[in-house]
Amino acid sequence: MSRSAPPLHAERMTFFSDAAAAIALTLLVLPLVELVPEAVEKHESPHEVITGNLVPFGSFALSFFVIWRIWTVHHRLFDRVDSIDTRIVRINSLWLLCVVVLPFPAEMVGAYGDDRLVISLYIGVLFVSSLTLTALALALRRINPAESAPDRTVLEQLIGNAVALALAFLLTLVVPGAGYWPLLLLLADGRILTLLRRRGVLAS
Amino acid sequence: MSRSAPPLHAERMTFFSDAAAAIALTLLVLPLVELVPEAVEKHESPHEVITGNLVPFGSFALSFFVIWRIWTVHHRLFDRVDSIDTRIVRINSLWLLCVVVLPFPAEMVGAYGDDRLVISLYIGVLFVSSLTLTALALALRRINPAESAPDRTVLEQLIGNAVALALAFLLTLVVPGAGYWPLLLLLADGRILTLLRRRGVLAS
Amino acid sequence: MSRSAPPLHAERMTFFSDAAAAIALTLLVLPLVELVPEAVEKHESPHEVITGNLVPFGSFALSFFVIWRIWTVHHRLFDRVDSIDTRIVRINSLWLLCVVVLPFPAEMVGAYGDDRLVISLYIGVLFVSSLTLTALALALRRINPAESAPDRTVLEQLIGNAVALALAFLLTLVVPGAGYWPLLLLLADGRILTLLRRRGVLAS
Amino acid sequence: MSRSAPPLHAERMTFFSDAAAAIALTLLVLPLVELVPEAVEKHESPHEVITGNLVPFGSFALSFFVIWRIWTVHHRLFDRVDSIDTRIVRINSLWLLCVVVLPFPAEMVGAYGDDRLVISLYIGVLFVSSLTLTALALALRRINPAESAPDRTVLEQLIGNAVALALAFLLTLVVPGAGYWPLLLLLADGRILTLLRRRGVLAS
């Protein structure tokens, strides 16, 4: 008797993932909201609330961008997928763990700024999420027909992401005081791909 | 080789947006819930909890109305849409940012009342959300056939919204002590449209 | 030119309503979670955390039951519905407001127990939600064909609900110390319907 | 006249359940987030935040795994189901109650570690959720045709779960200091099934 479970519909898992990511995204505002009663207690003006909290605001913007970006890739990955299996549900749970835990390193960023341990924790979570997305892409291509599996463009986007995160990590280690700016490399993953193609690392 | 990504299904992005908006809406009650243990510590009666916190209650009602309204327009915008592209996902992320960040200016409103900086921050976020909705409408009309793109009525509703917000902003600057009442103009965007039509700004 | 908006798909609005209700339901546990660090500060044993907080636990159970019940009726109401219009979106926003605000009276219940103002606030919110559900049923029957509109059974369930809440409200006013027990009448709405039928108030 | 309600579509109930489970999962990070400002007040280094809070981190990981696991079974249970009835909505509400309340015993775990009352509370909630899932499977098989009802594999997985939880409970009582490790038996439910089959408890 075969022990393999029958394939599952993708819809509910993507739905569950969407809901978790949407909540993680929305919870990011809570530390900003909590600044307000603290400021009132200290008799600060509205102007001081904003100018005195640039680090939390930056941390909010960074994490908003990061979670949104991770979700976008997940979105594209499953866009045409109908069937998943237990293995994919398991890999997806690691992705979910990264998304759900992210508000913790984000709060560390808001509190400790550019401490090196904090930065590596933050980028580490992003890197693991990037690896799980790549693993998801490969697993999806194994069980789905070519027309509904994630295509080459998506796989390449994932490679661009992983390379951008690896570069960001390296820059953080090499350039003291680089802080979180290296993460903006995520915006440049398209250009990184072009570069990899030119160098012949990826077939064009 | 064309670098353009294939179109995506609209469903998951609207879903993600819905979840984020629903959470932002539901989180609005948390500041009200937190009033209760504070009141118990100060030995206030239930009656005093309600009469002594009219500003937070008003702020809750205002933001509930505002987020619901923004979501309603988004709902109508995507109602018949099947396909989106990367550009639309990006514009939508700005809309999401407005929705997700809104509890912060809402908390500022509850804490500082009708301070001018606070009001302009609040209406500013609303205005940006209104602009992103208009940009979404235009981008959707570019890639979808006429029967599934947002129709003229929706576009006009968006213009009505933007004009209402611009008027609200002006009133707030011109009339000291106007507070948040100008936002009620959002209720009158239908009438604003009729006016614009009569003046010939929009073809009737 | 007709000013009436075209009909909308019901799916996204029910979805948005589901998400908001699910969040309101899930947030109910937060006051219980907050009991734990307070108990640790007071060096209470795990046993004392549970025996010393029966009112918050009861308030949690009550509100869980109430939100679940309101959602269940909403679920049945829209189960076969495909089309909605702007009027229904508006009535639904009142229902949403009741669901979203409910954690506030729930917290009041946990803090002030059976104070009469608190009870009437709580049952008042429930009664408004019950009225909005009835209004939704009537509006849905107006624009949908018989086979997809909410049927008689659902309408009768709503009447049973409204009557149960009215009875609960009366009992609370008449019997001092009745507390929240009258709300258990919601469990008996089936029997109330049978009674109304026997008395000829509803055709059987 | 038959009093039985017509069948309902499964989709919205599974959706509602997904949203609640996703929120419960995402809220688990809040106690970790709250560690950060406390650590800042005590002038702790980022390193100390992590090494000094192993119990909360372990509690987070445990509860993440547990909620994800409960949701996975629910997912498989309803994967091919189209119709549900009122009875199933009611049993599902008990499952929801377990999911929604879980952050409370999880917080107790984080605060009191391996106190025996806390462990039995935690495993008790899990056991009830396991029983409700089994009840759901049986009720679904009663009203759905064989091809859309949960199949034998799913039922057996549920039995494996329930047995694993019962064993975990026993181990906790018998082995003092066993703590939460017995819950790892949930990972072994596949092997437990094989064992039950070999012993002839389940037909192979």
Side-chain angles (χ1 to χ4, degrees), chain C residues 15 18 21-23 25-26 29 32-33 36-37 40 44 46-47 49 57 60 64 68 71 74-76 78-79 197, chain D residues 3 5-6 8-9 12-13 15-16 19-20 23-24 86 89 93 97 100-101 103-104 107-108 111-112 115 117-118:
Chain C
F15 178 93
D18 285 354
I23 300 156
L25 201 72
T26 317
V29 82
L32 299 188
V33 170
V36 180
V40 170
E44 289 180 0
H47 191 257
V49 177
F57 284 109
F60 166 80
F64 181 91
W68 175 78
W71 175 82
H74 196 270
H75 177 195
R76 182 165 284 282
F78 283 89
D79 186 54
R197 261 197 213 94
Chain D
R3 298 292 306 129
L8 294 158
H9 295 113
R12 237 185 113 182
M13 197 193 70
F15 178 94
F16 187 72
I23 300 156
T86 310
V89 175
S93 75
L97 181 59
V100 166
V101 91
F104 172 70
E107 181 82 8
M108 293 286 277
Y112 291 102
D115 177 274
L117 176 66
V118 170

Side-chain angles (χ1 to χ4, degrees), chain A residues 88-179:
Chain A
I88 290 170
V89 174
R90 274 187 203 147
I91 305 174
N92 195 66
S93 75
L94 281 179
W95 179 80
L96 266 178
L97 181 60
C98 295
V99 168
V100 166
V101 90
L102 206 73
F104 172 70
E107 182 80 11
M108 293 285 278
V109 168
Y112 290 102
D114 55 358
D115 176 274
R116 200 155 287 197
L117 175 67
V118 171
I119 298 181
S120 57
L121 186 70
Y122 195 90
I123 299 189
V125 172
L126 297 185
F127 190 61
V128 173
S129 85
S130 176
L131 291 182
T132 57
L133 285 167
T134 313
L136 281 171
L138 295 173
L140 284 168
R141 284 165 76 95
R142 195 168 303 161
I143 69 162
N144 282 280
E147 69 272 16
S148 67
D151 61 19
R152 232 190 107 93
T153 318
V154 174
L155 255 185
E156 289 184 359
Q157 197 181 4
L158 285 169
I159 295 170
N161 246 280
V163 173
L165 282 168
L167 285 178
F169 192 66
L170 280 175
L171 273 176
T172 311
L173 289 181
V174 172
V175 186

Side-chain angles (χ1 to χ4, degrees), chain C:
Chain C
M1 179 189 155
S2 164
R3 299 290 307 128
S4 75
L8 294 159
H9 294 115
E11 200 185 17
R12 237 185 113 183
M13 197 193 71
T14 55
F15 178 93
F16 188 72
S17 307
D18 285 354
I23 300 156
L25 201 72
T26 317
L27 292 181
L28 292 175
V29 82
L30 291 184
L32 299 188
V33 170
E34 279 158 24
L35 294 173
V36 180
E38 288 167 20
V40 170
E41 261 177 45
K42 287 186 270 173
H43 301 288
E44 289 180 0
S45 73
H47 191 257
E48 287 167 317
V49 177
I50 290 162
T51 53
N53 291 295
L54 295 182
V55 172
F57 284 109
S59 159
F60 166 80
L62 175 63
S63 295
F64 181 91
F65 170 67
V66 159
I67 293 181
W68 175 78
R69 189 93 179 105
I70 292 175
W71 175 82
T72 306
V73 180
H74 196 270
H75 177 195
R76 182 165 284 282
L77 205 54
F78 283 89
D79 186 54
R80 298 177 301 170
V81 170
D82 288 324
S83 300
I84 55 171
D85 59 10
T86 310
R87 176 203 295 265
I88 290 171
V89 174
R90 272 185 206 151
I91 306 175
N92 195 65
S93 75
L94 282 180
W95 179 82
L96 266 179
L97 180 61
C98 294
V99 168
V100 166
V101 91
L102 207 73
F104 172 70
E107 181 82 8
M108 293 286 277
V109 167
Y112 292 102
D114 56 357
D115 176 275
R116 201 156 287 197
L117 176 65
V118 170
I119 298 181
S120 56
L121 186 71
Y122 195 90
I123 299 188
V125 172
L126 298 184
F127 190 61
V128 173
S129 83
S130 176
L131 290 182
T132 57
L133 285 167
T134 313
L136 281 170
L138 295 172
L140 284 168
R141 284 165 76 94
R142 196 168 301 159
I143 69 161
N144 282 280
E147 68 274 15
S148 66
D151 62 19
R152 232 190 106 94
T153 318
V154 174
L155 253 186
E156 288 184 0
Q157 197 182 3
L158 285 169
I159 296 170
N161 246 279
V163 173
L165 282 167
L167 285 178
F169 191 66
L170 280 176
L171 273 176
T172 312
L173 290 181
V174 172
V175 187
Y180 295 88
W181 297 108
L183 280 174
L184 290 178
L185 278 168
L186 284 170
L187 284 171
D189 51 6
R191 255 152 243 150
I192 289 170
L193 275 177
T194 316
L195 211 71
L196 290 173
R197 261 197 213 94
R198 274 198 206 133
R199 303 259 162 176
V201 180
L202 293 171
S204 60

Side-chain angles (χ1 to χ4, degrees), chain D residues 49 71 99 153 194:
Chain D
V49 177
W71 175 81
V99 168
T153 318
T194 314

Side-chain angles (χ1 to χ4, degrees), chain A residues 11 14-15 17-19 21-23 25-30 32-33 35-37 39-40 44-47 49-50 57 60 64 68 71-72 74-76 78-80 151 153 156 193 197 204, chain B residues 1 3-13 15-16 19-21 23-24 27 30-31 84-86 89-90 92-94 96-98 100-104 107-108 111-112 115 117-118 121:
Chain A
E11 198 185 20
T14 54
F15 177 94
S17 307
D18 285 354
I23 300 157
L25 199 74
T26 318
L27 292 181
L28 292 175
V29 81
L30 291 185
L32 299 188
V33 170
L35 294 174
V36 180
V40 170
E44 291 179 359
S45 73
H47 191 258
V49 176
I50 290 162
F57 284 110
F60 166 80
F64 181 91
W68 175 78
W71 175 82
T72 305
H74 196 270
H75 177 194
R76 182 166 283 282
F78 284 89
D79 186 53
R80 297 177 302 169
D151 61 19
T153 318
E156 289 184 359
L193 275 177
R197 264 200 210 88
S204 58
Chain B
M1 178 191 155
R3 298 290 308 129
S4 74
L8 294 158
H9 294 114
E11 199 185 19
R12 237 186 113 182
M13 197 193 71
F15 177 94
F16 187 72
I23 300 157
L27 292 180
L30 291 184
I84 55 172
D85 59 10
T86 310
V89 174
R90 273 186 204 149
N92 195 65
S93 75
L94 282 180
L96 266 178
L97 180 61
C98 294
V100 166
V101 90
L102 206 73
F104 172 70
E107 182 81 8
M108 294 285 277
Y112 291 101
D115 176 275
L117 175 67
V118 171
L121 185 70

